[in-house]
Amino acid sequence: MYVNSVGTQARFTEGGALTGLEAHGVSVLQYPASELEDGLARLVVRRRDGLGESIVSLFGQNAIGRVDWTVDGPVVSADTAELAIVATFRLARDRAAWFWHCRVTNRSSRPVVVDVLHTQDVALASRSAVRTSEYYVSQYLDVTPLAVPGHGTALAVRQNMPGERAPWALVGALDVAHLWCTDALQLERAGGLGGDLPGARLQHEHTMVGLQTPRYALEAGETVTTGFYGMVLPDHHGATTPDDVRIAEQVLADPAASPELPDAPASMPAALTGRVIRCSALPPT
């Protein structure tokens, strides 16, 4: 388990899928992963030119490649016939925020076209409330798209269940979110992980934010680095407004938003495996 200085916690399966993500006393996840089944928090690289392997899952049971456990978080290294991919998850040090980073290199002698898809189911309720009824938790969530200058669309999620506070989350792209969705039904209608997201709002039975990057045309040897972020506020008194873009700008300015992605990650010492890793105690990168 990884914990930062403000108590944000992230837990993973052996394959790097999220079994828990908590901030400010609420669970971000509705359907956490287990060693038997992946959850809905996904990071996927996709070939979009009709050539080669079309979908490369980077975390979880269906992931290819190797997971290295470092003091900052899991690092996945995956190779296909044409692509070399490195992906990481890491927590911000002093805010309730997290970052997915992904670097894709065309290792072939011909051009390739790729994009990256990120999905995240959202609860923003206590773990006990989520386990009692995911549908009840989901029906109170409001999802609002926000235009973030230079970064496309971010998705703000406010939990409106009766209570003393209204937790609020924001999920966005470190590069550009080209298309997006707000419900798992939209992903199903798009053909699953291989389709294009609709770029439209739907409030149905299962809230799930999805973000899709533009298509990147990579010549032989070229590399693209992209990624996504998420964050949680303990209480957002009013409805989401365009002024909340300032929160996205603060997260994008966080040092963890632009780390150095390793070429060959050094694994965490075996003595640390399974222990709580307090990110706030780590030296600056």
Side-chain angles (χ1 to χ4, degrees), residues 27-96:
S27 172
V28 177
L29 306 177
Q30 282 197 55
Y31 294 97
S34 71
E35 296 296 347
L36 300 177
E37 184 178 20
D38 288 339
L40 298 179
R42 304 275 186 93
L43 187 67
V44 178
V45 175
R46 310 184 299 178
R47 286 287 300 273
R48 304 314 302 269
D49 50 18
L51 303 172
E53 192 167 353
S54 59
I55 299 175
V56 181
S57 295
L58 298 176
F59 294 89
Q61 296 185 71
N62 295 319
I64 67 171
R66 183 185 76 187
V67 180
D68 287 285
W69 298 97
T70 75
V71 291
D72 285 318
V75 180
V76 172
S77 305
D79 289 341
T80 70
E82 293 88 10
L83 303 175
I85 305 167
V86 176
T88 68
F89 175 97
R90 68 184 300 177
L91 296 174
R93 296 186 184 278
D94 56 4
R95 71 175 76 233

Side-chain angles (χ1 to χ4, degrees), residues 160-176:
N160 296 303
M161 273 196 311
E164 295 181 354
R165 59 191 179 110
W168 187 88
L170 185 67
V171 179
L174 297 175
D175 184 13
V176 176

Side-chain angles (χ1 to χ4, degrees), residues 65-135:
R66 183 185 76 187
V67 180
D68 287 285
W69 298 97
T70 75
V71 291
D72 285 318
V75 180
V76 172
S77 305
D79 289 341
T80 70
E82 293 88 10
L83 303 175
I85 305 167
V86 176
T88 68
F89 175 97
R90 68 184 300 177
L91 296 174
R93 296 186 184 278
D94 56 4
R95 71 175 76 233
W98 58 93
F99 301 90
W100 303 87
H101 296 274
C102 183
R103 183 182 66 213
V104 183
T105 300
N106 178 7
R107 56 186 296 195
S108 73
S109 59
R110 62 183 182 182
V112 300
V113 179
V114 300
D115 68 7
V116 183
L117 174 71
H118 172 48
T119 61
Q120 173 76 70
D121 60 329
V122 181
L124 297 181
S126 68
R127 293 178 66 188
S128 61
V130 175
R131 296 185 70 176
T132 298
S133 176
E134 292 89 350
Y135 286 124

